[in-house]
Amino acid sequence: MAAAGGKTYSFKVVLLGEGCVGKTSLVLRYCENKFNDKHITTLQASFLTKKLNITGKRVNLAIWDTAGQERFHALGPIYYRDSNGAILVYDVTDEDSFQKVKNWVKELRKMLGNEICLCIVGNKIDLEKERHVSVEEAEGYAESVGAKHYHTSAKLNKGIEELFLDLCKRMMESAQADERSRGNGASHTSTARRGVQIVDDEPQTATSAGGCCSSG
Amino acid sequence: MSQRSERRGIHVDQSELLCKKGCGYFGNTAWQGLCSKCWREEYQKARQRQIQEDWALAEKLQREEEAAYVSTHSSSQTQPPHSHSQPSLATFSKFEEKKTNEKTRKVTTVKKFFSPSSRTAPKKESHEGKTPSPSITRQSSIETDRVSRDFTEFLKTIQKQAGKEINKQSRAFLDSMGNKRDLGVEELSECAQDFYQNISDRLMNHYKGSSEKVDRVMDQVEKYIMTRLYKSVFCPETSDDEKKDLATQHRIRALHWVTIQMLCVPVDEEIPEVSDSVVKAITDIIEMDSKRVPRDKLACITSCSKHIFNAIRVTKNEPASADDFLPTLIFIVLKANPPRLQSNIQYITRFCIPSRLMTGEDGYYFTNLCCAVAFIEKLDAQSLNLSPEDFERYMSGQASPQRPDDPAAWPQTGSNINPVVSQIHQNQSILSNLEKRQQQVIEEANSLQTELAEWQDSVAREVQQILERYPLEIKPRASAIDAENVENDRLPPPLVPQVFAG
């Protein structure tokens, strides 16, 4: 879904995760390098962009924050439609938030297949003492679903650069592979063409189903 | 609290929005409050009537003129001139009447009456009667012309060859769209998207434009073609957009009782700057309907979102995250109840340049708006943390959350709400004080009146009593005429006539 011309890639990345796991802090740390700072210049932290240059290729990264409250869960499909990557954040001190991540992974894989690069992020590692999600469990799970796992701390600015850089590289690879596979005969009727539409019922049933089976 | 949320927003009565004919669809002020279908019917009828009236008037004029002609010639030059001017004056007043009639109807078929000879009038009328020019189409054509001019000007600023090609392609596309009127709107959208894709591919690959430049050109192309296509593809009759608009409108109206607390909106309207931003956000989202180009509509959504961010930032003193933004946007949409919301969303989805919706900032806000609408449609007791019973009661209008039944509770809540509302409360209490005092004045006036009446009575009584006690004795007077002549005796004796014998 990179922009045509091959010069600049435009990627859309959605941030998913329960409220209070630190999605906003994470992205503010990445784009503004600030944490709980009074001098944050941006008016909002829900849509942020970052321009990168990775091995000579320009990348425009658009980071879409999503509302994490449970009541908005059903709206997920509207957000993550046509995104190239998803960052699934949980709080290492909160077992529940990790369960939510599992639900999201199931849903994303079901709706978008393997087109989307998944990153599972355990945030707040500065609170190591209160950890409730074990490293082995989290990493094992990530591997089992074809996602990468990262440990970050927005407070200490740990692991965040690596997370985004890695994700960008993976998205570029899949975009290049996509271009190659499409070849020259491919028409422009890509999935990316159509805009956002209000999705009616099927995603909801999908999410509720995901919710039930997640414990297994 | 509840008073504030009740009073917030721009309230338009439902009757003002719906078609005046009562067909249940939305009316439009440009169509004198009718919906598109009723307006068309009305307009056709009015035009038929107009043409018939014109014919009748023209025939009458002709007869009158002929009669006048005959009369002047038969009775030779001795005929005084004013008798000739009589009928024409009358017809002139008819012109005037006609003119005002037509002005109100916004049909400009007046000119024809001022043709020098009424004999040619019938022909001219039948001709002009067939060219309707309601001012709406004229107005829009002015805008279209301006956009076309701008577009041509803009094309001159870019590479000559590319400009020419874009111009040619755009015109060809508009022509082809003109022939596809009867296609469904989804097919038309497909055509438009293909057109965008072709042009941008061509600019990228053939003319080697940088992506920023291509974006700029594409903006202009979109503006040009969508201004021209707007009327035929916005909320078209072939789709059920209008029905959806109506459903959403009703839904939002039914949810009027939803409060900031239920949605957990992180906005404190007590702060004047915040309530200002909220009002601006509401205005912007309503304004979206007035724009024609998808990009301009998106700009309204973006501007609305910026005001929301400002409100959150001022309240929470930190940048707004999506967790804050979405509930606030939902709240704004509920308060604003923007006109033709579904039509606008569908129109943008169908005819906007795709890349803008995919990755841009505008796209993000638009997506959030779609989410807000989806949430509103599906909203239930659980999503507001209410019990299903409460939700049902609120929806059916049997109860209203937080509205104090006791008006005495108002002053207490007055302290923690918006200054405007507290001002209102203050005024209200002043007014009620005033009313009390007025009541008192009236009472005192009444008692004064009764007192006065009593006093009058008592005086009358007293007078009566005194009169009874000391009855007035009227002594009979001497009835002789000269009885009053007290000094009668002092007068000389009356003259006695002397008798002269003689």
mmCIF file with all atom_site columns, all heavy atoms in Angstrom, chain B residues 304-317:
data_model
loop_
_atom_site.group_PDB
_atom_site.id
_atom_site.type_symbol
_atom_site.label_atom_id
_atom_site.label_alt_id
_atom_site.label_comp_id
_atom_site.label_asym_id
_atom_site.label_entity_id
_atom_site.label_seq_id
_atom_site.pdbx_PDB_ins_code
_atom_site.Cartn_x
_atom_site.Cartn_y
_atom_site.Cartn_z
_atom_site.occupancy
_atom_site.B_iso_or_equiv
_atom_site.pdbx_formal_charge
_atom_site.auth_seq_id
_atom_site.auth_comp_id
_atom_site.auth_asym_id
_atom_site.auth_atom_id
_atom_site.pdbx_PDB_model_num
ATOM 1   N N   . CYS B 1 304 ? -13.449 20.998 13.300 1.00 0.00 ? 304 CYS B N   1
ATOM 2   C CA  . CYS B 1 304 ? -14.251 20.575 14.453 1.00 0.00 ? 304 CYS B CA  1
ATOM 3   C C   . CYS B 1 304 ? -13.380 19.800 15.433 1.00 0.00 ? 304 CYS B C   1
ATOM 4   O O   . CYS B 1 304 ? -13.403 20.043 16.646 1.00 0.00 ? 304 CYS B O   1
ATOM 5   C CB  . CYS B 1 304 ? -15.421 19.727 13.975 1.00 0.00 ? 304 CYS B CB  1
ATOM 6   S SG  . CYS B 1 304 ? -16.243 18.782 15.246 1.00 0.00 ? 304 CYS B SG  1
ATOM 7   N N   . SER B 1 305 ? -12.574 18.871 14.896 1.00 0.00 ? 305 SER B N   1
ATOM 8   C CA  . SER B 1 305 ? -11.713 18.056 15.753 1.00 0.00 ? 305 SER B CA  1
ATOM 9   C C   . SER B 1 305 ? -10.704 18.923 16.495 1.00 0.00 ? 305 SER B C   1
ATOM 10  O O   . SER B 1 305 ? -10.433 18.692 17.674 1.00 0.00 ? 305 SER B O   1
ATOM 11  C CB  . SER B 1 305 ? -10.976 17.018 14.915 1.00 0.00 ? 305 SER B CB  1
ATOM 12  O OG  . SER B 1 305 ? -11.882 16.274 14.152 1.00 0.00 ? 305 SER B OG  1
ATOM 13  N N   . LYS B 1 306 ? -10.170 19.936 15.811 1.00 0.00 ? 306 LYS B N   1
ATOM 14  C CA  . LYS B 1 306 ? -9.178  20.805 16.463 1.00 0.00 ? 306 LYS B CA  1
ATOM 15  C C   . LYS B 1 306 ? -9.801  21.531 17.651 1.00 0.00 ? 306 LYS B C   1
ATOM 16  O O   . LYS B 1 306 ? -9.173  21.685 18.696 1.00 0.00 ? 306 LYS B O   1
ATOM 17  C CB  . LYS B 1 306 ? -8.635  21.822 15.443 1.00 0.00 ? 306 LYS B CB  1
ATOM 18  C CG  . LYS B 1 306 ? -7.839  21.188 14.314 1.00 0.00 ? 306 LYS B CG  1
ATOM 19  C CD  . LYS B 1 306 ? -6.365  21.074 14.662 1.00 0.00 ? 306 LYS B CD  1
ATOM 20  C CE  . LYS B 1 306 ? -5.718  19.892 13.988 1.00 0.00 ? 306 LYS B CE  1
ATOM 21  N NZ  . LYS B 1 306 ? -5.091  20.203 12.708 1.00 0.00 ? 306 LYS B NZ  1
ATOM 22  N N   . HIS B 1 307 ? -11.031 21.965 17.479 1.00 0.00 ? 307 HIS B N   1
ATOM 23  C CA  . HIS B 1 307 ? -11.707 22.634 18.592 1.00 0.00 ? 307 HIS B CA  1
ATOM 24  C C   . HIS B 1 307 ? -11.925 21.665 19.752 1.00 0.00 ? 307 HIS B C   1
ATOM 25  O O   . HIS B 1 307 ? -11.800 22.042 20.916 1.00 0.00 ? 307 HIS B O   1
ATOM 26  C CB  . HIS B 1 307 ? -13.034 23.220 18.127 1.00 0.00 ? 307 HIS B CB  1
ATOM 27  C CG  . HIS B 1 307 ? -12.875 24.423 17.251 1.00 0.00 ? 307 HIS B CG  1
ATOM 28  N ND1 . HIS B 1 307 ? -12.154 25.517 17.633 1.00 0.00 ? 307 HIS B ND1 1
ATOM 29  C CD2 . HIS B 1 307 ? -13.308 24.686 16.003 1.00 0.00 ? 307 HIS B CD2 1
ATOM 30  C CE1 . HIS B 1 307 ? -12.171 26.411 16.665 1.00 0.00 ? 307 HIS B CE1 1
ATOM 31  N NE2 . HIS B 1 307 ? -12.863 25.934 15.656 1.00 0.00 ? 307 HIS B NE2 1
ATOM 32  N N   . ILE B 1 308 ? -12.235 20.427 19.403 1.00 0.00 ? 308 ILE B N   1
ATOM 33  C CA  . ILE B 1 308 ? -12.414 19.421 20.451 1.00 0.00 ? 308 ILE B CA  1
ATOM 34  C C   . ILE B 1 308 ? -11.109 19.217 21.208 1.00 0.00 ? 308 ILE B C   1
ATOM 35  O O   . ILE B 1 308 ? -11.072 19.184 22.435 1.00 0.00 ? 308 ILE B O   1
ATOM 36  C CB  . ILE B 1 308 ? -12.897 18.087 19.836 1.00 0.00 ? 308 ILE B CB  1
ATOM 37  C CG1 . ILE B 1 308 ? -14.329 18.242 19.323 1.00 0.00 ? 308 ILE B CG1 1
ATOM 38  C CG2 . ILE B 1 308 ? -12.810 16.956 20.852 1.00 0.00 ? 308 ILE B CG2 1
ATOM 39  C CD1 . ILE B 1 308 ? -14.844 17.041 18.583 1.00 0.00 ? 308 ILE B CD1 1
ATOM 40  N N   . PHE B 1 309 ? -10.010 19.120 20.448 1.00 0.00 ? 309 PHE B N   1
ATOM 41  C CA  . PHE B 1 309 ? -8.705  18.939 21.091 1.00 0.00 ? 309 PHE B CA  1
ATOM 42  C C   . PHE B 1 309 ? -8.402  20.095 22.015 1.00 0.00 ? 309 PHE B C   1
ATOM 43  O O   . PHE B 1 309 ? -7.859  19.922 23.100 1.00 0.00 ? 309 PHE B O   1
ATOM 44  C CB  . PHE B 1 309 ? -7.606  18.818 20.036 1.00 0.00 ? 309 PHE B CB  1
ATOM 45  C CG  . PHE B 1 309 ? -7.619  17.503 19.320 1.00 0.00 ? 309 PHE B CG  1
ATOM 46  C CD1 . PHE B 1 309 ? -7.511  17.442 17.943 1.00 0.00 ? 309 PHE B CD1 1
ATOM 47  C CD2 . PHE B 1 309 ? -7.738  16.322 20.021 1.00 0.00 ? 309 PHE B CD2 1
ATOM 48  C CE1 . PHE B 1 309 ? -7.529  16.231 17.286 1.00 0.00 ? 309 PHE B CE1 1
ATOM 49  C CE2 . PHE B 1 309 ? -7.752  15.104 19.370 1.00 0.00 ? 309 PHE B CE2 1
ATOM 50  C CZ  . PHE B 1 309 ? -7.646  15.059 18.000 1.00 0.00 ? 309 PHE B CZ  1
ATOM 51  N N   . ASN B 1 310 ? -8.742  21.274 21.560 1.00 0.00 ? 310 ASN B N   1
ATOM 52  C CA  . ASN B 1 310 ? -8.487  22.443 22.388 1.00 0.00 ? 310 ASN B CA  1
ATOM 53  C C   . ASN B 1 310 ? -9.290  22.347 23.690 1.00 0.00 ? 310 ASN B C   1
ATOM 54  O O   . ASN B 1 310 ? -8.752  22.602 24.780 1.00 0.00 ? 310 ASN B O   1
ATOM 55  C CB  . ASN B 1 310 ? -8.855  23.711 21.620 1.00 0.00 ? 310 ASN B CB  1
ATOM 56  C CG  . ASN B 1 310 ? -8.360  24.939 22.326 1.00 0.00 ? 310 ASN B CG  1
ATOM 57  O OD1 . ASN B 1 310 ? -7.210  24.987 22.744 1.00 0.00 ? 310 ASN B OD1 1
ATOM 58  N ND2 . ASN B 1 310 ? -9.234  25.910 22.503 1.00 0.00 ? 310 ASN B ND2 1
ATOM 59  N N   . ALA B 1 311 ? -10.537 21.954 23.565 1.00 0.00 ? 311 ALA B N   1
ATOM 60  C CA  . ALA B 1 311 ? -11.384 21.828 24.765 1.00 0.00 ? 311 ALA B CA  1
ATOM 61  C C   . ALA B 1 311 ? -10.788 20.819 25.734 1.00 0.00 ? 311 ALA B C   1
ATOM 62  O O   . ALA B 1 311 ? -10.722 21.056 26.943 1.00 0.00 ? 311 ALA B O   1
ATOM 63  C CB  . ALA B 1 311 ? -12.792 21.413 24.363 1.00 0.00 ? 311 ALA B CB  1
ATOM 64  N N   . ILE B 1 312 ? -10.307 19.691 25.199 1.00 0.00 ? 312 ILE B N   1
ATOM 65  C CA  . ILE B 1 312 ? -9.740  18.650 26.068 1.00 0.00 ? 312 ILE B CA  1
ATOM 66  C C   . ILE B 1 312 ? -8.446  19.134 26.686 1.00 0.00 ? 312 ILE B C   1
ATOM 67  O O   . ILE B 1 312 ? -8.189  18.956 27.876 1.00 0.00 ? 312 ILE B O   1
ATOM 68  C CB  . ILE B 1 312 ? -9.503  17.346 25.269 1.00 0.00 ? 312 ILE B CB  1
ATOM 69  C CG1 . ILE B 1 312 ? -10.834 16.803 24.740 1.00 0.00 ? 312 ILE B CG1 1
ATOM 70  C CG2 . ILE B 1 312 ? -8.817  16.312 26.135 1.00 0.00 ? 312 ILE B CG2 1
ATOM 71  C CD1 . ILE B 1 312 ? -10.687 15.667 23.773 1.00 0.00 ? 312 ILE B CD1 1
ATOM 72  N N   . ARG B 1 313 ? -7.654  19.805 25.852 1.00 0.00 ? 313 ARG B N   1
ATOM 73  C CA  . ARG B 1 313 ? -6.358  20.264 26.337 1.00 0.00 ? 313 ARG B CA  1
ATOM 74  C C   . ARG B 1 313 ? -6.531  21.252 27.492 1.00 0.00 ? 313 ARG B C   1
ATOM 75  O O   . ARG B 1 313 ? -5.824  21.186 28.491 1.00 0.00 ? 313 ARG B O   1
ATOM 76  C CB  . ARG B 1 313 ? -5.607  20.921 25.166 1.00 0.00 ? 313 ARG B CB  1
ATOM 77  C CG  . ARG B 1 313 ? -4.440  21.739 25.587 1.00 0.00 ? 313 ARG B CG  1
ATOM 78  C CD  . ARG B 1 313 ? -3.171  21.318 24.925 1.00 0.00 ? 313 ARG B CD  1
ATOM 79  N NE  . ARG B 1 313 ? -2.097  21.424 25.891 1.00 0.00 ? 313 ARG B NE  1
ATOM 80  C CZ  . ARG B 1 313 ? -0.827  21.278 25.596 1.00 0.00 ? 313 ARG B CZ  1
ATOM 81  N NH1 . ARG B 1 313 ? -0.479  20.972 24.371 1.00 0.00 ? 313 ARG B NH1 1
ATOM 82  N NH2 . ARG B 1 313 ? 0.087   21.405 26.524 1.00 0.00 ? 313 ARG B NH2 1
ATOM 83  N N   . VAL B 1 314 ? -7.479  22.173 27.325 1.00 0.00 ? 314 VAL B N   1
ATOM 84  C CA  . VAL B 1 314 ? -7.693  23.165 28.375 1.00 0.00 ? 314 VAL B CA  1
ATOM 85  C C   . VAL B 1 314 ? -8.212  22.493 29.645 1.00 0.00 ? 314 VAL B C   1
ATOM 86  O O   . VAL B 1 314 ? -7.814  22.832 30.757 1.00 0.00 ? 314 VAL B O   1
ATOM 87  C CB  . VAL B 1 314 ? -8.667  24.263 27.887 1.00 0.00 ? 314 VAL B CB  1
ATOM 88  C CG1 . VAL B 1 314 ? -9.061  25.169 29.026 1.00 0.00 ? 314 VAL B CG1 1
ATOM 89  C CG2 . VAL B 1 314 ? -8.031  25.058 26.770 1.00 0.00 ? 314 VAL B CG2 1
ATOM 90  N N   . THR B 1 315 ? -9.084  21.492 29.463 1.00 0.00 ? 315 THR B N   1
ATOM 91  C CA  . THR B 1 315 ? -9.655  20.830 30.633 1.00 0.00 ? 315 THR B CA  1
ATOM 92  C C   . THR B 1 315 ? -8.622  19.982 31.365 1.00 0.00 ? 315 THR B C   1
ATOM 93  O O   . THR B 1 315 ? -8.483  20.053 32.581 1.00 0.00 ? 315 THR B O   1
ATOM 94  C CB  . THR B 1 315 ? -10.829 19.925 30.212 1.00 0.00 ? 315 THR B CB  1
ATOM 95  O OG1 . THR B 1 315 ? -11.722 20.692 29.412 1.00 0.00 ? 315 THR B OG1 1
ATOM 96  C CG2 . THR B 1 315 ? -11.570 19.394 31.421 1.00 0.00 ? 315 THR B CG2 1
ATOM 97  N N   . LYS B 1 316 ? -7.895  19.167 30.588 1.00 0.00 ? 316 LYS B N   1
ATOM 98  C CA  . LYS B 1 316 ? -7.021  18.177 31.226 1.00 0.00 ? 316 LYS B CA  1
ATOM 99  C C   . LYS B 1 316 ? -5.579  18.619 31.344 1.00 0.00 ? 316 LYS B C   1
ATOM 100 O O   . LYS B 1 316 ? -4.776  17.983 32.005 1.00 0.00 ? 316 LYS B O   1
ATOM 101 C CB  . LYS B 1 316 ? -7.058  16.862 30.427 1.00 0.00 ? 316 LYS B CB  1
ATOM 102 C CG  . LYS B 1 316 ? -8.375  16.140 30.526 1.00 0.00 ? 316 LYS B CG  1
ATOM 103 C CD  . LYS B 1 316 ? -8.312  14.799 29.833 1.00 0.00 ? 316 LYS B CD  1
ATOM 104 C CE  . LYS B 1 316 ? -7.548  13.774 30.642 1.00 0.00 ? 316 LYS B CE  1
ATOM 105 N NZ  . LYS B 1 316 ? -7.519  12.457 29.975 1.00 0.00 ? 316 LYS B NZ  1
ATOM 106 N N   . ASN B 1 317 ? -5.254  19.688 30.617 1.00 0.00 ? 317 ASN B N   1
ATOM 107 C CA  . ASN B 1 317 ? -3.892  20.196 30.636 1.00 0.00 ? 317 ASN B CA  1
ATOM 108 C C   . ASN B 1 317 ? -2.873  19.184 30.128 1.00 0.00 ? 317 ASN B C   1
ATOM 109 O O   . ASN B 1 317 ? -1.738  19.127 30.592 1.00 0.00 ? 317 ASN B O   1
ATOM 110 C CB  . ASN B 1 317 ? -3.520  20.654 32.043 1.00 0.00 ? 317 ASN B CB  1
ATOM 111 C CG  . ASN B 1 317 ? -2.585  21.839 31.984 1.00 0.00 ? 317 ASN B CG  1
ATOM 112 O OD1 . ASN B 1 317 ? -2.316  22.350 30.885 1.00 0.00 ? 317 ASN B OD1 1
ATOM 113 N ND2 . ASN B 1 317 ? -2.088  22.264 33.115 1.00 0.00 ? 317 ASN B ND2 1
#
